[in-house]
Amino acid sequence: MVIALIDDNPYERDCLSSLVVSEFEKSGIPIKQFDLFENGEDFLKKQELHQYDLIILDIFMGEMSGIDLAHQIRLQNKYVRIVFCSTSNDFACESYNVGASYYIQKPVTSQDIIQMMERLDIEDFELRRFVSLPDQQQVLLRNIIYAEYSNHVITIHKKNEPALKTRLALNQFTALIKDFPYFMVCNKGTIINLYEVAEWNNDFFTMSNGVTITISRRRQKQVEKEYRYFLFSSARKEL
């Protein structure tokens, strides 16, 4: 989980961040990164706004209000969950015009954070993760079936959507998805989403769209190890 919190009051910013970290830890949800900002201007200077899973915004903040900031965020990131936190409920209706997922009234308690987590459906975050390609296209990771590289072009095959092509080096694409262990290299130039495997044997995977992906001989043992671990990990999550 990667979170950003924007609040111009240092005390309230620290208190809220502590509550969020505490309740997420109790729920067994790891926070990979938690960035704190005192105003919207500083937040918008950050280069990788697409990386966040959750952004928590104060509404009353100097020159740029939380509502204004949310409009700017939506221009760059249509998937991120936005939660507003304010001393007043006056902007609750307006907050949903920018796709806010929840609204908390200060002072914030642990129970408020618990209710926020329940409303957000934390498990759904995995389905909403995406990457931004250098050409500004955004791709939902779990929507990818497999990707293949040829002649400096990555072709991304997706569920229920046309394939997407982008001019990109293979190592650049693998760098974008390196933190998501359900992607695996099967052969030189082909990366599959293990969630989309319909059938597997030592020589190939059959994907959910019926396409057969060959496993290179030199990678067969490593592929088997990684895929069995994926199946084991997935089974544990369902228990």
Side-chain angles (χ1 to χ4, degrees):
M1 179 75 65
V2 181
I3 303 174
L5 168 61
I6 303 98
D7 193 318
D8 61 351
N9 184 309
Y11 174 76
E12 294 182 347
R13 188 170 62 239
D14 291 343
C15 288
L16 180 53
S17 62
S18 295
L19 285 174
V20 171
V21 169
S22 175
E23 294 307 323
F24 271 62
E25 286 181 348
K26 289 177 184 178
S27 298
I29 302 169
I31 296 179
K32 177 182 176 182
Q33 182 176 327
F34 200 147
D35 296 333
L36 305 180
F37 301 88
E38 63 177 325
N39 56 62
E41 291 83 356
D42 286 347
F43 175 76
L44 291 175
K45 291 177 183 176
K46 191 168 181 65
Q47 296 299 309
E48 298 181 353
L49 298 185
H50 63 272
Q51 70 179 319
Y52 294 108
D53 300 305
L54 172 63
I55 300 175
I56 304 173
L57 303 173
D58 186 19
I59 287 184
F60 302 105
M61 298 188 297
E63 295 183 6
M64 180 181 290
S65 72
I67 297 293
D68 292 337
L69 177 56
H71 280 290
Q72 293 296 315
I73 291 170
R74 281 289 177 241
L75 293 176
Q76 302 182 52
N77 189 330
K78 61 183 179 180
Y79 297 117
V80 67
R81 300 289 186 90
I82 294 176
V83 169
F84 284 101
C85 185
S86 177
T87 56
S88 169
N89 276 331
D90 291 345
F91 291 88
C93 291
E94 189 174 352
S95 71
Y96 294 108
N97 291 332
V98 291
S101 299
Y102 200 59
Y103 194 105
I104 301 174
Q105 187 170 1
K106 296 179 180 179
V108 183
T109 66
S110 295
Q111 188 59 36
D112 291 325
I113 302 302
I114 293 171
Q115 291 176 353
M116 176 194 77
M117 293 167 65
E118 291 174 351
R119 178 66 65 87
L120 292 178
D121 186 7
I122 298 300
E123 292 182 359
D124 186 53
F125 273 85
E126 184 63 41
L127 300 178
R128 298 169 63 91
R129 290 182 183 274
F130 68 96
V131 292
S132 291
L133 303 174
D135 60 6
Q136 306 307 310
Q137 296 186 84
Q138 295 181 343
V139 185
L140 284 171
L141 291 166
R142 286 289 294 274
N143 205 32
I144 296 172
I145 300 175
Y146 69 97
E148 53 187 346
Y149 175 78
S150 178
N151 296 324
H152 308 290
V153 173
I154 294 285
T155 302
I156 300 173
H157 299 268
K158 301 184 291 180
K159 294 188 292 185
N160 305 316
E161 293 182 35
L164 180 158
K165 293 179 180 290
T166 185
R167 192 170 182 81
L168 190 66
L170 182 61
N171 63 343
Q172 290 178 295
F173 181 71
T174 54
L176 290 175
I177 62 173
K178 64 180 176 61
D179 292 329
F180 306 97
Y182 49 87
F183 287 106
M184 183 170 66
V185 177
C186 289
N187 56 60
K188 186 178 181 180
T190 308
I191 300 169
I192 68 169
N193 178 354
L194 295 178
Y195 282 109
E196 295 302 315
V197 171
E199 182 182 351
W200 166 67
N201 72 22
N202 289 333
D203 300 316
F204 64 85
F205 284 107
T206 301
M207 306 308 293
S208 59
N209 61 351
V211 172
T212 298
I213 305 296
T214 302
I215 303 169
S216 66
R217 288 193 175 185
R218 70 179 184 84
R219 283 197 51 79
Q220 283 183 352
K221 289 185 178 180
Q222 183 63 28
V223 164
E224 178 179 359
K225 179 181 178 181
E226 291 181 18
Y227 187 54
R228 290 189 183 281
Y229 180 78
F230 169 79
L231 293 176
F232 175 72
S233 298
S234 298
R236 289 189 62 185
K237 289 180 181 178
E238 294 176 1
L239 294 177

